Amino acid sequence: MKIEFTKEQYKELLLLVLLGSWVRGDVADMRGEYSKEMDELEEYLLCEAKNFNLGDLAEQFEGHTAPSDELSEKYEEIIEEYNDDEFWTQLSRRLGQRDFARTINKEEGQHIKDNDGWFPERIHEIYEKYDKEFEKHGIDRLEIKEN
């Protein structure tokens, strides 16, 4: 099979592969796993950079082709931005679900059962409360209460 890409499509594909490799690699590390195939695919795609006159996106490092510093900075910036957004989203959602569980009524419980675990609309009001709080104050007003 042969797939052809424009220069811009190739750059985007390479960025997507590096982002995916970063995420998948972190998960594999947490599990104590390693994917030789993933590393080989990443290196293969990096080696193709020269065929698109994008040799500046890849460099040799310890006998392997690796992303250039410029390319590494680009995908690390995207990962950092994603992680920051995901932190606030998860914090808001987890606290919202905790608060919802503390105040759930019979009808809402039935709604969840009838809808494969989907929360009723009220959950969004709770999420929004936290979203506004974190947007305005970050974590400055979060405290752990002693019982």
Side-chain angles (χ1 to χ4, degrees):
M1 170 174 52
K2 183 177 180 178
I3 300 174
E4 294 185 24
F5 296 101
T6 66
K7 188 175 188 175
E8 288 305 311
Q9 288 173 325
Y10 170 78
K11 276 177 76 171
E12 190 64 25
L13 175 65
L14 189 56
L15 184 60
L16 289 168
V17 166
L18 294 170
L19 289 166
S21 179
W22 178 297
V23 171
R24 190 167 176 208
D26 278 358
V27 171
D29 286 347
M30 288 186 308
R31 294 177 178 171
E33 300 171 354
Y34 169 71
S35 174
K36 181 179 177 186
E37 294 84 6
M38 183 178 65
D39 284 350
E40 288 173 347
L41 177 59
E42 182 181 310
E43 187 166 1
Y44 173 79
L45 288 171
L46 284 164
C47 288
E48 291 297 311
K50 63 184 175 298
N51 295 329
F52 288 91
N53 293 321
L54 293 168
D56 59 322
L57 297 180
E59 59 187 39
Q60 291 300 307
F61 180 75
E62 297 183 0
H64 294 281
T65 304
S68 66
D69 288 344
E70 175 188 339
L71 186 56
S72 294
E73 287 174 16
K74 187 171 186 170
Y75 73 80
E76 287 172 10
E77 181 180 303
I78 292 169
I79 289 287
E80 192 173 306
E81 192 173 326
Y82 172 80
N83 285 342
D84 186 58
D85 182 66
E86 188 63 12
F87 168 79
W88 293 111
T89 298
Q90 285 296 319
L91 185 58
S92 171
R93 297 314 175 255
R94 291 176 190 211
L95 290 171
Q97 289 172 15
R98 178 205 62 191
D99 291 359
F100 180 84
R102 289 177 175 172
T103 61
I104 193 168
N105 62 38
K106 281 185 178 182
E107 294 80 24
E108 291 169 332
Q110 190 60 48
H111 173 91
I112 292 169
K113 286 179 185 175
D114 293 344
N115 292 283
D116 290 327
W118 284 94
F119 290 101
E121 283 300 310
R122 184 171 68 88
I123 192 72
H124 297 288
E125 295 169 14
I126 300 170
Y127 292 159
E128 188 175 322
K129 175 185 82 170
Y130 281 111
D131 290 341
K132 286 179 181 178
E133 171 66 24
F134 298 143
E135 187 175 314
K136 188 171 182 179
H137 301 286
I139 60 170
D140 291 342
R141 298 187 340 170
L142 286 180
E143 301 288 334
I144 296 177
K145 294 181 352 184
E146 297 292 332
N147 289 336

